[in-house]
Amino acid sequence: MRVVIAEDLALLREGLVALLRDHDIEVVAQVEDGPGLLRAIAGHRPDLAIVDVRLPPTFSDEGLQAAIEARRRRPELGVLVLSQYVETAYASELIGENTAGIGYLLKERVGDVRAFIDALHSVAGGGTVIDRQVVTQLLAHR
């Protein structure tokens, strides 16, 4: 599996890279903003993008917007949002009608490395992995 990571915190980004490499997952690019994510996806053609919701410059929803655009450009791309926040409006748009290859996990609730690695494989393979707290907030938003 080929992965691009979009995370602005260098320590977390490097930790993810090390973790994935330890599990024989190839990290083809690591970026810290939305435009970098779109460039990396175009240049490296990964199977999966791991994306934080809040990226520079405003740290509001740039990551999620970039993930939506990445899926528009490459519908087969698996996207796993890994964030501290649930952005319901954009999460609904990302998930949309096609839930294949979509994941949304909350950083604070990922406590099992094996389950996280399994989630990555599931999303890259076209599965859907959404934290129950995200589902609760999405349903409440409707």
Side-chain angles (χ1 to χ4, degrees):
M1 174 179 11
R2 295 166 46 80
V3 175
V4 169
I5 298 171
E7 169 61 58
D8 62 303
L9 298 174
L11 188 59
L12 179 55
R13 192 174 57 242
E14 291 298 328
L16 282 170
V17 169
L19 176 70
L20 298 184
R21 288 184 177 154
D22 284 349
H23 287 86
D24 298 319
I25 297 173
E26 181 183 5
V27 177
V28 295
Q30 45 182 312
V31 301
E32 60 183 37
D33 60 20
L37 173 64
L38 296 176
R39 284 190 304 273
I41 287 169
H44 294 282
R45 311 272 310 160
D47 304 303
L48 178 71
I50 300 173
V51 184
D52 188 6
V53 168
R54 297 184 179 182
L55 295 174
T58 68
F59 298 95
S60 58
D61 56 15
E62 288 90 343
L64 208 41
Q65 288 187 43
I68 291 166
E69 178 61 20
R71 286 278 291 202
R72 187 190 67 70
R73 294 180 186 184
R74 287 198 49 225
E76 74 281 5
L77 175 70
V79 173
L80 178 82
V81 174
L82 183 61
S83 185
Q84 293 175 314
Y85 310 99
V86 179
E87 295 290 343
T88 53
Y90 289 109
S92 294
E93 186 177 345
L94 175 65
I95 295 167
E97 295 177 14
N98 181 11
T99 60
I102 294 292
Y104 201 128
L105 299 177
L106 298 176
K107 290 176 182 175
E108 67 198 35
R109 293 174 44 91
V110 175
D112 182 342
V113 170
R114 184 74 248 161
F116 178 68
I117 297 299
D118 289 346
L120 297 180
H121 284 286
S122 178
V123 171
T128 304
V129 179
I130 301 176
D131 185 283
R132 69 175 187 261
Q133 188 173 337
V134 174
V135 172
T136 300
Q137 289 191 33
L138 288 173
L139 292 174
H141 182 70
R142 289 188 172 183

